[in-house]
Amino acid sequence: MLPLPAMDSRQGAGQGSRMLNVPSQSFPGPRSQQRVASGGRSKVPLKQGRSLMDWIRLTKSGKDLTGLKGRLIEVTEEELKKHNKKDDCWICIRGFVYNVSPYMEYHPGGEEELMRAAGSDGTDLFDQVHRWVNYESMLKECLVGRMAIKPALPKDYREEKKVLNGMLPKSQVTDTLAREGPSSPSYDWFQTDSLVTIVVYTKQKDINLGSITVDHQGDSFRVETIIKDYSYLIHIGLSHEIQEDFSVQVVENVGKIEIVLKKKESTTWKSLGCPLENHNSLLPKKDTDLYYRKCQLISKEDVTHDTKLFSVMLPPSTHLQVPVGQHVYLKLTIAGTEIVKPYTPVSDSLVPEFKEPVFPNSKYIYFLVKIYPAGLFTPELDLLQIGDYVSVSNPEGSFKISQFQEMEDLFLLAAGTGFTPMVKVLHYALTGIPSLRKVKLMFFNKTEDDIIWRSQLEKLALKDKRFDVEFVLSAPPSEWSGKQGYISPALLSEFLKKSLEKSKVLICICGPTPFTEQGMKFLHDLNFSKDEIHSFTA
């Protein structure tokens, strides 16, 4: 058996991985969208005793799930290919090999989906499919070992030192970005007696405060800037202590970012600090890890009989703004396993004067969450007390504000909690799109009691003549006079009437997978193009 070389420890690495400190990767993978694209993964019914909690119990039982009696091996491609049957199925994910045969009956996507990657590298497949479990935590007892790889060349320390004293050398830009990626960003820093200012030059004009997240945790200072579909990371162990609060400013017309830190002591810094993992990297965002910070639960209030509005507070040493149409992942440790689920932040209300904002500044994030009593994640989230913590990731998602450009008619199709991505989309459209003539929301629910923020939606329609909302119920009471049934070509053709014949249109759709898949089909049948439709699929 070959000895395994030491490996880097990454954010959130699991504690139960024996000889290996396995890098933590959360599902959905960085490459996936908020919810998988239409035609993607569907859940399959699991046999009794095969729930996720049953799987967690099995992993804690001490049973040998790898078939190697606790050994960890280095796996060649030839060896991996041999293990391609249901009762002997190995899969490689990001360089690590797992025996997933014991997991087959517990997999929500079914055995066939796992078998598509049997005996091969399943990283791309896993990234394309919506996941809500941290696989490193979930499969750690199935870890066979890692793929045999060539040792990486050591970094040139002198080059790293040059970086910390100023501009990013071109030689450190990832080779693969030379042709297709954005212009090479760079950074510099300067200081006064009391302040240190880090300046990032992105060389892009569409950078805003939502493009950048900043975290100061322990001795790590981390700045991630999203430039188109790439992530530029500054990651430094600062040479001196700083105060918790800092300011972030963006000069949008030149793409310059300024981060102003307050020194704890008025001393002259000889250097900014020492480089930490992935410092100065410019990588496709799909290849980067999710990064989490612990946020404190500040409030939760009932919205419907089974939906609540949660508010969490970012740490004082974090700057994070979730762009319109994007989501974050919430992470909780349940029975020793990290469970991850995506949620789209909302505003605290639709109509500013509907109620006073509970917490007015950008340090707070709001989530509308439907509590499923028989579920695993949402009951645990609901059990959190005010003052408890939940981990929140960086923003993810494919929605671009540029899709609103010169838009005249906006149509929103939502079912149940598929309404959540529409909240900020609706607010941004009504306040920030000068060309907008009409916004219509068709909101599908089972009963009247299920309608989220009904009174707010009706008040917004009265306040802004451009906005109209139609409620559709699948189980209406006898006195219901509104529309009823399910999404259909007849309902859509009547609903999707443009304000002018040649109006520029955007249609956003979100709800359970069958709703979205049917809706997408009907929209294409009604001759709307891909460019006119954006799906947030469940």
Side-chain angles (χ1 to χ4, degrees), residues 242-343:
I242 60 170
Q243 296 181 35
E244 278 190 334
D245 59 321
F246 50 78
S247 67
V248 181
Q249 297 177 326
V250 175
V251 184
E252 293 191 21
N253 60 339
V254 293
K256 183 174 77 169
I257 300 164
E258 292 187 354
I259 305 151
V260 182
L261 316 178
K262 299 175 184 176
K263 296 179 178 179
K264 273 201 173 178
E265 296 180 356
S266 296
T267 56
T268 301
W269 293 19
K270 293 182 179 178
S271 70
L272 191 56
C274 62
L276 299 178
E277 185 186 4
N278 292 329
H279 174 61
N280 276 332
S281 62
L282 178 63
L283 298 170
K285 193 168 189 308
K286 63 184 177 59
D287 294 336
T288 61
D289 293 349
L290 288 172
Y291 187 84
Y292 290 88
R293 72 280 303 145
K294 287 187 175 180
C295 297
Q296 192 171 33
L297 179 63
I298 299 300
S299 70
K300 58 179 175 179
E301 60 182 60
D302 292 336
V303 176
T304 71
H305 63 100
D306 62 1
T307 303
K308 297 188 178 184
L309 180 68
F310 289 76
S311 174
V312 301
M313 181 174 64
L314 293 165
S317 52
T318 290
H319 163 85
L320 184 156
Q321 291 185 6
V322 183
V324 173
Q326 294 198 15
H327 60 283
V328 296
Y329 298 101
L330 301 186
K331 180 170 69 174
L332 291 173
T333 300
I334 301 173
T337 297
E338 290 180 343
I339 307 296
V340 178
K341 289 205 76 174
Y343 289 97

Side-chain angles (χ1 to χ4, degrees), residues 308-499:
K308 297 188 178 184
L309 180 68
F310 289 76
S311 174
V312 301
M313 181 174 64
L314 293 165
S317 52
T318 290
H319 163 85
L320 184 156
Q321 291 185 6
V322 183
V324 173
Q326 294 198 15
H327 60 283
V328 296
Y329 298 101
L330 301 186
K331 180 170 69 174
L332 291 173
T333 300
I334 301 173
T337 297
E338 290 180 343
I339 307 296
V340 178
K341 289 205 76 174
Y343 289 97
T344 304
V346 299
S347 313
D348 65 315
S349 66
L350 278 172
V351 188
E353 66 269 27
F354 190 82
K355 66 172 184 175
E356 288 297 314
V358 183
F359 307 108
N361 66 46
S362 60
K363 281 289 180 184
Y364 300 91
I365 307 178
Y366 298 89
F367 300 97
L368 281 167
V369 180
K370 182 174 181 177
I371 309 300
Y372 295 90
L376 183 64
F377 190 88
T378 57
E380 289 291 326
L381 189 64
D382 195 28
L383 283 174
L384 293 180
Q385 301 297 306
I386 303 304
D388 288 346
Y389 289 85
V390 59
S391 293
V392 178
S393 79
N394 282 14
E396 296 268 313
S398 63
F399 189 87
K400 307 289 184 191
I401 286 293
S402 57
Q403 293 174 250
F404 280 141
Q405 200 167 7
E406 299 177 358
M407 180 186 62
E408 295 164 302
D409 293 344
L410 174 63
F411 298 101
L412 308 176
L413 300 168
T417 50
F419 170 66
T420 56
M422 309 305 180
V423 174
K424 284 191 174 182
V425 167
L426 182 58
H427 179 264
Y428 184 85
L430 290 173
T431 58
I433 310 297
S435 57
L436 188 72
R437 283 196 291 266
K438 179 165 69 174
V439 184
K440 291 180 73 177
L441 167 67
M442 184 171 274
F443 194 1
F444 294 79
N445 285 279
K446 187 175 181 181
T447 70
E448 285 185 273
D449 290 341
D450 295 320
I451 301 173
I452 298 170
W453 281 355
R454 178 179 180 178
S455 58
Q456 292 195 44
L457 287 164
E458 291 172 337
K459 185 168 184 178
L460 183 61
L462 288 171
K463 179 188 174 190
D464 195 319
K465 299 305 178 187
R466 294 171 299 170
F467 175 63
D468 186 35
V469 59
E470 295 181 13
F471 302 111
V472 184
L473 300 182
S474 60
S478 57
E479 65 272 18
W480 176 253
S481 59
K483 289 184 168 63
Q484 53 186 286
Y486 299 90
I487 192 166
S488 66
L491 276 176
L492 292 181
S493 58
E494 183 185 346
F495 176 71
L496 298 168
K497 288 180 179 174
K498 300 179 183 180
S499 56

Side-chain angles (χ1 to χ4, degrees), residues 102-295:
Y103 179 58
M104 288 280 181
E105 293 185 334
Y106 299 85
H107 182 228
E111 296 172 2
E112 287 184 9
E113 192 173 90
L114 282 178
M115 288 303 296
R116 288 167 63 194
S120 66
D121 190 325
T123 304
D124 285 347
L125 178 64
F126 273 60
D127 282 348
Q128 291 162 11
V129 173
H130 174 75
R131 295 283 188 211
W132 53 283
V133 176
N134 178 311
Y135 77 76
E136 181 276 327
S137 181
M138 183 186 70
L139 294 177
K140 63 188 176 187
E141 298 304 325
C142 298
L143 181 65
V144 170
R146 102 175 166 181
M147 291 297 293
I149 53 174
K150 295 178 182 177
L153 293 174
K155 289 183 178 178
D156 186 333
Y157 171 74
R158 289 167 298 177
E159 194 171 55
E160 284 284 8
K161 191 171 181 181
K162 259 192 276 181
V163 170
L164 286 176
N165 286 327
M167 310 298 281
L168 172 67
K170 288 185 179 179
S171 60
Q172 286 210 214
V173 177
T174 310
D175 292 339
T176 56
L177 303 179
R179 294 180 184 174
E180 59 190 70
S183 300
S184 307
S186 58
Y187 82 96
D188 204 348
W189 69 281
F190 55 88
Q191 62 183 308
T192 64
D193 287 345
S194 59
L195 304 174
V196 170
T197 301
I198 300 172
V199 185
V200 181
Y201 303 96
T202 68
K203 305 175 186 174
Q204 302 291 326
K205 290 187 177 181
D206 56 352
I207 300 296
N208 54 51
L209 285 173
S211 306
I212 181 168
T213 58
V214 184
D215 289 276
H216 181 217
Q217 295 189 30
D219 60 356
S220 163
F221 191 79
R222 188 180 189 279
V223 180
E224 182 176 5
T225 306
I226 303 305
I227 305 171
K228 296 182 179 176
D229 293 323
Y230 292 82
S231 165
Y232 172 52
L233 184 66
I234 297 172
H235 194 193
I236 293 170
L238 295 175
S239 61
H240 293 72
E241 290 187 351
I242 60 170
Q243 296 181 35
E244 278 190 334
D245 59 321
F246 50 78
S247 67
V248 181
Q249 297 177 326
V250 175
V251 184
E252 293 191 21
N253 60 339
V254 293
K256 183 174 77 169
I257 300 164
E258 292 187 354
I259 305 151
V260 182
L261 316 178
K262 299 175 184 176
K263 296 179 178 179
K264 273 201 173 178
E265 296 180 356
S266 296
T267 56
T268 301
W269 293 19
K270 293 182 179 178
S271 70
L272 191 56
C274 62
L276 299 178
E277 185 186 4
N278 292 329
H279 174 61
N280 276 332
S281 62
L282 178 63
L283 298 170
K285 193 168 189 308
K286 63 184 177 59
D287 294 336
T288 61
D289 293 349
L290 288 172
Y291 187 84
Y292 290 88
R293 72 280 303 145
K294 287 187 175 180
C295 297

